[in-house]
Amino acid sequence: MVEFIDGGVTTPEGFKATGVHSGVKYRSLDLGLLTSEVPASAFAGFTSNKIKAAPVQVMMQENSPTLSAVVVNSGNANALTGRRGIEDALTMKQTVANELNLDPVQVGVMSTGLIGRFMDMHKIKYGINRAVKDLSVGRKADNLIAEAIMTTDTIKKECAARVRLSDGTMVYIGAISKGSGMISPHMKVLHGTTLSLVTTDAKLSPKFAKVWQEILDDSMNMVSVDGDQSTNDTCLLLANGMAKGACADDDPLFREALQAVMNKIARTIAKDGEGATKLIEVQVNNAKTKEDARRVVKEVIDSPLVKSAIFGSDPNYGRIMMALGNSGADFNLEEVRLVIKGGEMEVPILEAGAPIFQEERSVEAVRMAMDNKEVAIILDLAVGNESAIGWGCDLTYDYVRINAEYST
């Protein structure tokens, strides 16, 4: 059984972390460092945007099977920075390696922030030097690194869980993430921004990469704030095996726990979308294929008209059906069912392709359900047995304001 606990990336055995102010940002913490006492098996998911930031290019090219440290900065994405950007990403790795007596290939690198700006490496090196001296374990360390990777985020995104595996070993999983805008990941294993660091003391082998991709597809890749995939998206899982149990590759209890952690992080990212006032959860049931179910979820979440309707609590369900029709997925309109859920209210809207409500008081019930901080849209496509769930947020005036002023 998965149990969520108070913790973060240093909760699993053998991990240390910190966050410092290097000067890349004016006042806020802007550089984080995570280390593992022993080399950890590394599983990475990267953006599939054809324009990839320098750190992503470097990480993908090296494709190191193990990592002992990860350095991450906020305030500068190091994207669209040409050869100099690549050299700066390599310098970040080399600087950490020198400080910790590691091979540079054992150091991961991640960046987030403004695109098209060169890094100030004097500040970055200063920050790394400070971070190495400040590494520690516990909630203070967790909070420091979680804050250091934030950009337009309004809340820190972290969680931790524990689960007893089939062989009796208790293992821990910790995670932090950032992301508020330019969020619609389509991350592939071995292939505004979501950056995620996930740690566990479970033992995993290289073949777990397939499972990691499946978990990403059902969690981080089902989040969308604005439909724009970043140049920097990276989700990195480090497993150092220090719990001393058997390999957890095929343990369903470990997979369940990791999926739960990633789903919780994904929900938190959507809930903290730029300018957001409401979390939107879309559930699609009885689709013909898993891909169809996912496609419908993303089409509904990405629709500016649906997002605007949720913001205004406007019961214009035709916008949801428009998005379904645009998805290209198979469905049986004569059997399609649509439900809106908010708070304690669950209101059926469409049954067998026709509206259930006509009277004004029925319309008001839909409006009341939508007038909650968390709104669920539930669609039954009536053509199969596959399902998917995803998360987004409403489209508000503040989203436009934030992104109209982002670089200034």
Side-chain angles (χ1 to χ4, degrees), residues 114-298:
L114 282 169
I115 292 173
R117 304 284 178 88
F118 291 125
M119 302 281 278
D120 187 331
M121 292 308 295
H122 293 292
K123 293 177 178 178
I124 292 292
K125 289 179 179 179
Y126 164 74
I128 290 172
N129 181 264
R130 286 191 59 200
V132 167
K133 295 176 175 143
D134 198 40
L135 285 165
S136 61
V137 174
R139 297 302 287 129
K140 180 180 178 181
D142 295 334
N143 289 326
L144 286 172
I145 190 171
E147 183 179 339
I149 67 175
M150 293 167 64
T151 51
T152 56
D153 307 68
T154 65
I155 58 172
K156 284 177 282 195
K157 301 169 176 70
E158 63 174 351
C159 69
R162 63 186 174 194
V163 63
R164 191 170 295 281
L165 301 184
S166 302
D167 69 350
T169 306
M170 180 69 77
V171 301
Y172 291 82
I173 302 170
I176 58 169
S177 188
K178 64 83 51 186
S180 286
M182 202 186 288
I183 306 296
S184 185
H186 187 62
M187 292 182 285
K188 292 297 180 183
V189 172
L190 303 180
H191 183 87
T193 302
T194 60
L195 296 184
S196 302
L197 281 168
V198 187
T199 58
T200 181
D201 46 18
K203 180 180 179 181
L204 299 174
S205 80
K207 75 174 187 177
F208 190 76
K210 182 177 182 294
V211 179
W212 180 232
Q213 180 67 69
E214 292 169 355
I215 289 172
L216 285 179
D217 285 341
D218 282 331
S219 57
M220 300 300 291
N221 288 347
M222 294 305 294
V223 177
S224 184
V225 168
D226 45 28
D228 290 326
Q229 184 181 186
S230 170
T231 57
N232 291 61
D233 286 337
T234 306
C235 190
L236 187 58
L237 167 65
L238 300 180
N240 66 14
M242 290 189 68
K244 305 298 185 184
C247 183
D249 286 353
D250 301 316
D251 194 316
L253 296 174
F254 179 75
R255 177 168 181 160
E256 179 188 356
L258 184 56
Q259 186 75 66
V261 166
M262 297 310 298
N263 286 0
K264 187 169 185 177
I265 288 291
R267 278 178 58 91
T268 306
I269 289 171
K271 192 172 185 177
D272 191 39
E274 288 176 338
T277 64
K278 298 177 183 179
L279 172 72
I280 305 172
E281 181 173 283
V282 179
Q283 302 174 25
V284 172
N285 300 316
N286 296 316
K288 182 175 288 186
T289 66
K290 187 74 169 179
E291 186 55 39
D292 270 3
R294 288 172 175 156
R295 190 181 300 121
V296 173
V297 168
K298 294 298 282 284

Side-chain angles (χ1 to χ4, degrees), residues 359-405:
E359 300 177 4
E360 182 58 36
R361 63 182 179 180
S362 299
V363 174
E364 188 58 31
V366 181
R367 194 188 309 277
M368 289 172 64
M370 296 173 74
D371 197 23
N372 280 274
K373 292 296 183 183
E374 297 187 10
V375 178
I377 298 170
I378 306 167
L379 274 165
D380 188 321
L381 306 191
V383 289
N385 299 305
E386 295 293 339
S387 62
I389 186 169
W391 306 273
C393 60
D394 55 346
L395 179 59
T396 70
Y397 308 120
D398 276 345
Y399 176 85
V400 177
R401 177 188 58 77
I402 290 167
N403 285 284
E405 301 170 354

